Amino acid sequence: MDKEQLLTLAERCETAQKPDRALDADIYEALGYNVRRKPSHLVSRRAPAGGIYQQGSLWKALGTVSANIDVTITLLRQKAPDWSWSLQCLSEEDSTAFQALVAECSGNAMLGSLALCAAMLRAFARHGGAIRGRRPPAGSVERRFTES
């Protein structure tokens, strides 16, 4: 995926109001996974959109990267294990938002997982799509979760 597509996907993460299975599939594809999408005629309330992805020769269920911070962190560790990241919750009287940093790129969203996805996608766009096996950006490994 090219830089503009990664940045557009990061913006989708920041403007999303809730988790989205179609967004999950798009994020997996942006990270280089082969995603097989569920046909639209099979999508229902009980069987939401999404799909399965291929890693090597095994097909696995598509993780809820837009809804689950643990899934997002797992993807980040798989694709860029040496990149630093942080996530913080910004609480105000009438709203809560999250801000994430990944390899010096930021993301802001209503959910921590979406903020982390946005920052991660921007980092891949900034660093030319660098993934595991390529040289990561300079910087120490830092993992933290803070609340303010």
Side-chain angles (χ1 to χ4, degrees), residues 108-142:
N108 300 290
M110 296 304 294
L111 297 173
S113 54
L114 287 169
L116 202 52
C117 284
M120 175 176 58
L121 292 165
R122 282 199 177 97
F124 282 119
R126 179 179 182 187
H127 299 288
I131 59 171
R132 186 179 187 112
R134 294 187 187 171
R135 187 177 174 168
S140 62
V141 175
E142 178 184 348

Side-chain angles (χ1 to χ4, degrees), residues 84-132:
S84 62
W85 64 270
S86 67
L87 177 66
Q88 66 179 344
C89 177
L90 308 171
S91 231
E92 295 180 5
E93 283 184 30
D94 57 345
S95 69
T96 302
F98 290 85
Q99 181 178 43
L101 287 172
V102 174
E104 301 177 13
C105 294
S106 66
N108 300 290
M110 296 304 294
L111 297 173
S113 54
L114 287 169
L116 202 52
C117 284
M120 175 176 58
L121 292 165
R122 282 199 177 97
F124 282 119
R126 179 179 182 187
H127 299 288
I131 59 171
R132 186 179 187 112

Side-chain angles (χ1 to χ4, degrees), residues 37-49:
R37 294 174 189 262
K38 185 181 296 181
S40 59
H41 70 277
L42 295 178
V43 174
S44 68
R45 276 190 163 168
R46 299 185 82 170

